[in-house]
Amino acid sequence: MEQIAMIGCGSMGGGMALLFAENGVSVSLSDPAEDMMDSVIEKAEKAGYHNKMKKFKDYKSLCHSLSQPRLLVFSLPHGNVGDKVLEGLIPNLSRNDIILDCGNEHFENTERRQEKCKEPGIRYIGCGVSGGYQAARAGPSMCPGGDESALNEVLPLLQNVAAKDKDGKSCVGIVGLGGSGHYVKMIHNDIEHGMMSAISEAWGIMRKMGLGYEAIGDVFATWNDSGELKGTFLVSIGADLSHKREPGTVSDSHPSSSNHPLVISEVLDKVVQDITGEEGTGIWSNTETIEQHIPAFTLNVAHGFRLASAYRSAREKANQTFSGGFPPQNLDIYDKDSFIEDLRKATYVACLASFIQGMDTIAAADRAHEWNINYAEVWQIWRAGCIIQADYISDSILAPVLNAPKANYSTINLLTTDAAAKDVRNCYPSLRRIVAKAVETDQVAPALSTTLEYFKVVTGTDLPTSFYEAELDYFGSHMFDKKGDQDKQVKQPMEGKHHFEWKPATSQTEVYGKAGSML
């Protein structure tokens, strides 16, 4: 395809427009903000992509500028913006035209639009794009799902522009049917949030050990070079950002740039994307883990952590009410090297838990929606260019499962694999020691501590939920199974076979005496 339209020219859309132009594609731009289109065109000219960009102010002329079948790429905010754009475009489109929705859209919106496009014969693809605005320009990880004929037509173009892994293979592939592309990208973001929480908690603990910002960056660089966190994007950018300083004029007496303040030292502890609506995937994905009945301890708590951080003013008020709250204490660690090694293993196993919980959710949704997800392609998509890139996890944990010849939703259970079990057993004592020290000294470690609970629960066969179940049966007659009953391997848990009359139901008169006497 030598011509495409890019609808939405913000940081992601503008970056992708330039990426397509760099690969020889002519791009017709559409955006209500004309200055954004002008900015993209100016950047294209400066980069030497002469006459590869043109702007259009109406959909009729935009569609007329494209050869058929047309390819129109969306880079739009999630929600009704896409519906309005689609409504305006449809009268100007023809059968077999393709819409490639590269926004962070909810998978149900994607499937609703796919259904709407069936009658006019327009093929609608939901394509998750990962890597941030830098990757949008240099080559993102791309996650398309939908109409098979359309996917096969656009795949060569996407392979050209997508990120490349260490073997030179494109990080894009056909995920599956319907809204599977946007769904997998949504869960990618949930895994990302779990990983980010664990890494930030490790950062906070190292700060309380007395390590400076740049020293922590050096620790992250070491973690990223070898071991279980090798090639982990979020660890690598943590190492990088720890050394970034504010630009400014340096006095003659202090000519070194090291006198400029570190940017990280001035960043407030407030993550607002879930509240402001910029980021919908965190909310949707956590809702999905619950809808699909997945115990996603790490992911759910990481989301709650983000939400609590957003309400800075409320935290300040509570801090005053509690006379300073429960601040983390400074850590006086005798053997810092051993403690940091424990922290590395604890951080890794929380990241691993995030992948396990995310893949469990994808597999459950795949079964429910019959998307026929290609898990080998999901593995390839996550190998580079995306935020959750983690080379060790990809090669050692994911590859044997997702690349298996008959990998499908019924076989995707990372928790029961030998590789994952070996790593969890190896890292568990470190995780326990870190959480114990965090509890003792009031360190902020929600994702790390809940990951410890997660592994205890999902590998446990002596849970206190037996008492939970008894109480449910006591007041609700909810039934229970008895110890020794055979628990058959079924797709879904089934109601118990037993009920006990812990306390027979009685009339109001029997409870209170004469009817109405208590009124």
Side-chain angles (χ1 to χ4, degrees):
M1 292 184 175
E2 298 179 350
Q3 294 177 309
I4 68 166
M6 176 60 68
I7 301 178
C9 298
S11 59
M12 291 294 291
M16 284 191 291
L18 291 166
L19 178 62
F20 283 120
E22 183 180 356
N23 282 270
V25 178
S26 296
V27 185
S28 299
L29 303 177
S30 175
D31 194 290
E34 190 170 353
D35 59 333
M36 284 192 175
M37 293 190 287
D38 291 338
S39 176
V40 175
I41 292 171
E42 182 181 355
K43 289 176 182 177
E45 291 298 319
K46 286 182 178 179
Y49 315 143
H50 302 302
N51 301 316
K52 286 294 184 182
M53 301 274 190
K54 291 184 179 179
K55 64 180 180 181
F56 294 87
K57 297 182 180 180
D58 63 88
Y59 293 146
K60 183 176 181 180
S61 60
L62 174 76
C63 294
H64 186 71
S65 71
L66 304 174
S67 58
Q68 296 186 33
R70 303 176 181 90
L71 174 60
L72 302 96
V73 182
F74 283 7
S75 182
L76 302 169
H78 63 81
N80 61 6
V81 175
D83 293 320
K84 291 179 180 178
V85 171
L86 181 60
E87 185 178 347
L89 282 172
I90 284 179
N92 302 289
L93 298 177
S94 304
R95 184 169 293 276
N96 290 325
D97 286 349
I98 300 170
I99 292 174
L100 182 70
D101 185 348
C102 289
N104 263 339
E105 187 55 89
H106 193 285
F107 75 97
E108 289 181 344
N109 288 340
T110 302
E111 294 195 330
R112 178 170 49 77
R113 292 171 193 163
Q114 288 170 337
E115 190 65 29
K116 183 176 182 179
C117 287
K118 276 185 178 179
E119 187 175 337
I122 299 161
R123 295 171 291 172
Y124 195 106
I125 298 170
C127 180
V129 174
S130 181
Y133 70 92
Q134 296 101 333
R137 179 66 187 88
S141 164
M142 308 185 80
C143 190
D147 182 90
E148 186 174 357
S149 66
L151 288 165
N152 285 325
E153 285 185 41
V154 302
L155 190 59
L157 173 62
L158 300 186
Q159 288 172 332
N160 283 341
V161 301
K164 307 299 185 291
D165 65 17
K166 57 189 175 184
D167 299 320
K169 189 175 179 181
S170 297
C171 293
V172 62
I174 298 174
V175 174
L177 303 173
S180 59
H182 274 147
Y183 192 96
V184 170
K185 173 53 169 56
M186 174 186 72
I187 299 301
H188 161 286
N189 285 19
D190 209 14
I191 296 170
E192 167 193 319
H193 298 163
M195 296 174 72
M196 290 180 75
S197 187
I199 294 166
S200 68
E201 291 163 29
W203 177 86
I205 289 171
M206 284 190 279
R207 286 290 295 146
K208 291 303 175 182
M209 290 175 62
L211 272 66
Y213 297 108
E214 292 185 288
I216 296 174
D218 294 340
V219 170
F220 282 151
T222 301
W223 289 3
N224 188 61
D225 285 342
S226 62
E228 294 92 342
L229 289 170
K230 181 180 179 180
T232 300
F233 174 77
L234 287 167
V235 175
S236 71
I237 66 170
D240 186 36
L241 68 83
S242 296
H243 297 280
K244 300 300 183 182
R245 294 183 178 273
E246 292 278 8
T249 303
V250 183
S251 67
D252 294 336
S253 60
H254 297 93
S256 173
S257 63
S258 64
N259 291 286
H260 297 176
L262 289 161
V263 179
I264 184 60
S265 69
E266 299 182 334
V267 177
L268 192 63
D269 60 341
K270 186 174 71 169
V271 179
V272 302
Q273 284 77 7
D274 300 296
I275 310 299
T276 60
E278 299 168 54
E279 175 65 80
T281 53
I283 298 169
W284 307 333
S285 55
N286 276 276
T287 301
E288 274 296 302
T289 62
I290 295 168
E291 291 280 358
Q292 298 300 336
H293 313 298
I294 301 301
F297 291 26
T298 309
L299 305 184
N300 297 157
V301 167
H303 184 67
F305 189 23
R306 284 160 57 98
L307 293 178
S309 80
Y311 292 97
R312 170 77 191 196
S313 60
R315 288 189 285 119
E316 289 174 346
K317 185 175 181 180
N319 184 269
Q320 294 173 2
T321 303
F322 282 83
S323 301
F326 311 100
Q329 303 167 28
N330 291 329
L331 290 167
D332 184 13
I333 306 297
Y334 174 74
D335 188 344
K336 290 189 176 182
D337 289 343
S338 294
F339 187 81
I340 288 176
E341 174 62 7
D342 276 345
L343 190 59
R344 182 189 70 83
K345 288 183 175 180
T347 303
Y348 161 68
V349 82
C351 291
L352 177 57
S354 299
F355 273 95
I356 291 170
Q357 294 161 27
M359 286 308 307
D360 281 351
T361 308
I362 290 173
D366 184 18
R367 179 173 60 248
H369 296 281
E370 299 182 340
W371 283 328
N372 194 26
I373 288 177
N374 187 327
Y375 290 95
E377 296 286 26
V378 174
W379 174 77
Q380 179 59 36
I381 289 164
W382 288 352
R383 291 201 74 196
C386 68
I387 305 300
I388 64 172
Q389 178 183 344
D391 292 349
Y392 173 87
I393 290 178
S394 176
D395 295 340
S396 300
I397 306 297
L398 299 183
V401 178
L402 304 192
N403 286 331
K406 295 182 179 180
N408 58 52
Y409 60 76
S410 66
T411 62
I412 303 303
N413 188 345
L414 298 177
L415 188 66
T416 60
T417 64
D418 291 339
K422 178 182 177 182
D423 279 0
V424 172
R425 284 196 301 268
N426 177 49
C427 295
Y428 187 87
S430 294
L431 177 63
R432 185 172 53 198
R433 285 192 290 269
I434 292 297
V435 172
K437 180 60 72 171
V439 171
E440 179 188 355
T441 60
D442 292 323
Q443 305 303 316
V444 178
L448 295 176
S449 58
T450 202
T451 296
L452 180 69
E453 297 302 320
Y454 170 73
F455 285 121
K456 283 159 56 178
V457 169
V458 297
T459 64
T461 57
D462 185 19
L463 303 180
T465 46
S466 55
F467 188 78
Y468 197 136
E469 181 79 327
E471 289 209 323
L472 284 169
D473 188 59
Y474 186 107
F475 68 77
S477 186
H478 286 292
M479 311 293 285
F480 59 91
D481 283 326
K482 289 183 177 180
K483 294 177 180 179
D485 286 350
Q486 185 178 4
D487 191 5
K488 296 181 180 179
Q489 295 298 314
V490 293
K491 290 183 178 180
Q492 294 293 337
M494 299 183 68
E495 183 181 61
K497 298 175 284 295
H498 307 281
H499 167 66
F500 179 74
E501 280 294 297
W502 307 86
K503 181 181 180 181
T506 56
S507 69
Q508 187 179 52
T509 301
E510 290 175 298
V511 173
Y512 297 110
K514 185 179 179 181
S517 62
M518 298 295 290
L519 300 178

